[in-house]
Amino acid sequence: MAAEPRKRILSGMRPTGKLHLGNYYGALDNWLRLQEEYQCFYFVADWHALTTEYETPQDIGGYIKEMVLDWLSVGLDPDKSTIFVQSAIPEHAELYLIFGMFTPVPWLERNPTYKDQLQELPHKDLATYGFLGYPVLQAADILMYKADGVPVGVDQVPHVEMTREIARRFNHLYRPIFPEPEVLLTEIPKLTGIDGRKMSKSYNNCIYLSDPPEVMQQKVRQMVTDTQRPFKKDPGEPDRCLAFPFHRLNLPEERLQEITTACRAASLGCVECKKMLALALTANLAPIQERRRFYEKHPEAVLEVLELGNRRARRQAQHTMSEVRDAVLFNLDFQLWS
Ligand code: TRP
């Protein structure tokens, strides 16, 4: 009996530059696991970046490079996954256009992610057609590859749900071409930035995968611990400490228990505890940084990965688009007119 074809996974990230620990533990380590079992498509959503960064497009190219360097450094493997850049596959724009014909505007206006972002980025003029249509482009990304599963964090769930609705509407209006993708919800660990706010590049409070050991030490030293423990002799509480969740990323349960007990008994001080943390993080990142140095020295290898991925992705995209044109435009064939 023929083996069942492997399920397809697709996910993307907007290029924002170097990746931080939140990106790693909130997405990438999941991508890595998935590539062992499924047929994975991972791509750089550079057109999506343009929806908010249209005033500074000159920065996006450098961000793409840094992000793909990080992807390869953590172990995304072009032999297992198709790694590509959205704007290299113009078919995404065509599918987005077709979907735009029948996507009701109220679906887009109701989208909670849209409303949140408008509030979070008040300094940008986002009263644009492109920004409103963000989820339609995302639906094109997902359905182009007929993904079965889309690993994303909870903020992206409304977009995948809208993708399902767009697929259903297309299938109903024209021909059933598109499967409805499932959300594979990625659990995002509660990591804050070193100042206690959400870890985000715009707050300048991130720990990057590429931070060298001395920078790591300095950043960890700045992390706010239990503010109700002014002196080492006072008992502490890991649940109030912003550094403790980072220990969870590195240490087995029994070590976490030991640290918790020692903190509460005031036998382990914050300075020492954070030194351990910086060492553990540095050790975890060492192999990643070593691979990064290799790719930094060999930009041609990175380019080769993207060229291979773009070719593979494009083949699939062209196939899907010929089905779509058949379904919608009845394969308009100018030969018939001659
Ligand atoms: N909107 C996603 C984000 O901000 C990025 C993205 C674009 C995406 N297209 C996608 C994610 C398709 C999953 C599938 O994180």
Side-chain angles (χ1 to χ4, degrees), residues 272-283:
E272 198 189 330
C273 187
K274 289 203 287 185
K275 260 190 204 147
M276 279 182 341
L277 175 61
L279 282 177
L281 285 171
T282 304

Side-chain angles (χ1 to χ4, degrees), residues 81-336:
S81 301
T82 299
I83 301 169
F84 68 99
V85 178
Q86 184 186 38
S87 67
I89 319 294
E91 285 77 8
H92 287 227
E94 187 182 352
L95 191 54
Y96 164 64
L97 176 136
I98 303 260
F99 287 168
M101 301 305 163
F102 60 78
T103 303
V105 174
W107 288 8
L108 300 170
E109 289 171 335
R110 269 204 304 270
N111 168 19
T113 308
Y114 172 69
K115 291 197 266 186
D116 288 350
Q117 289 245 314
L118 282 185
Q119 271 186 352
E120 264 177 48
L121 305 169
H123 49 286
K124 292 200 173 152
D125 179 4
L126 294 179
T128 57
Y129 172 62
F131 189 63
L132 182 67
Y134 186 110
V136 184
L137 182 57
Q138 186 158 344
D141 299 335
I142 297 170
L143 297 176
M144 185 70 84
Y145 303 94
K146 305 190 179 180
D148 301 293
V150 185
V152 284
V154 65
D155 63 308
Q156 294 295 313
V157 170
H159 292 163
V160 182
E161 267 161 15
M162 206 183 303
T163 301
R164 295 165 61 89
E165 283 167 27
I166 289 175
R168 222 173 296 147
R169 205 162 157 92
F170 183 102
N171 292 344
H172 170 75
L173 283 168
Y174 310 109
R175 216 179 279 165
I177 292 180
F178 296 115
E180 290 181 35
E182 304 283 344
V183 173
L184 304 177
L185 196 61
T186 309
E187 213 179 303
I188 301 177
K190 288 200 177 52
L191 297 182
T192 51
I194 54 176
D195 59 356
R197 294 189 288 172
K198 178 182 163 197
M199 194 181 284
S200 155
K201 199 178 87 163
S202 48
Y203 294 153
N204 202 9
N205 64 359
C206 298
I207 296 181
Y208 292 101
L209 293 179
S210 47
D211 278 343
E214 52 299 352
V215 175
M216 178 68 76
Q217 263 164 32
Q218 198 194 357
K219 287 185 176 174
V220 172
R221 215 182 302 135
Q222 284 176 45
M223 280 183 190
V224 181
T225 51
D226 179 1
T227 50
Q228 295 173 38
R229 182 188 188 188
F231 302 107
K232 186 183 165 202
K233 65 174 176 31
D234 299 322
E237 176 47 60
D239 285 345
R240 285 196 295 265
C241 172
L242 297 181
F244 191 72
F246 290 88
H247 273 312
R248 286 192 189 285
L249 307 175
N250 296 297
L251 299 177
E253 193 53 40
E254 74 260 22
R255 278 294 290 141
L256 293 173
Q257 279 308 327
E258 282 168 22
I259 291 179
T260 303
T261 309
C263 176
R264 288 183 182 151
S267 60
L268 172 65
C270 297
V271 174
E272 198 189 330
C273 187
K274 289 203 287 185
K275 260 190 204 147
M276 279 182 341
L277 175 61
L279 282 177
L281 285 171
T282 304
N284 267 6
L285 295 179
I288 295 176
Q289 296 186 352
E290 198 176 310
R291 269 193 299 262
R292 197 178 213 276
R293 279 191 290 277
F294 169 81
Y295 284 110
E296 279 169 351
K297 269 195 234 126
H298 297 281
E300 73 288 350
V302 180
L303 199 63
E304 210 175 294
V305 167
L306 290 180
E307 280 170 355
L308 170 73
N310 289 344
R311 257 199 316 278
R312 275 198 226 142
R314 185 122 204 239
R315 212 175 308 127
Q316 173 64 46
Q318 285 173 334
H319 177 75
T320 301
M321 282 318 296
S322 78
E323 287 181 312
V324 167
R325 287 186 214 112
D326 255 4
V328 180
L329 299 168
F330 313 107
N331 212 12
L332 191 64
D333 184 352
F334 296 107
Q335 306 273 315
L336 294 177

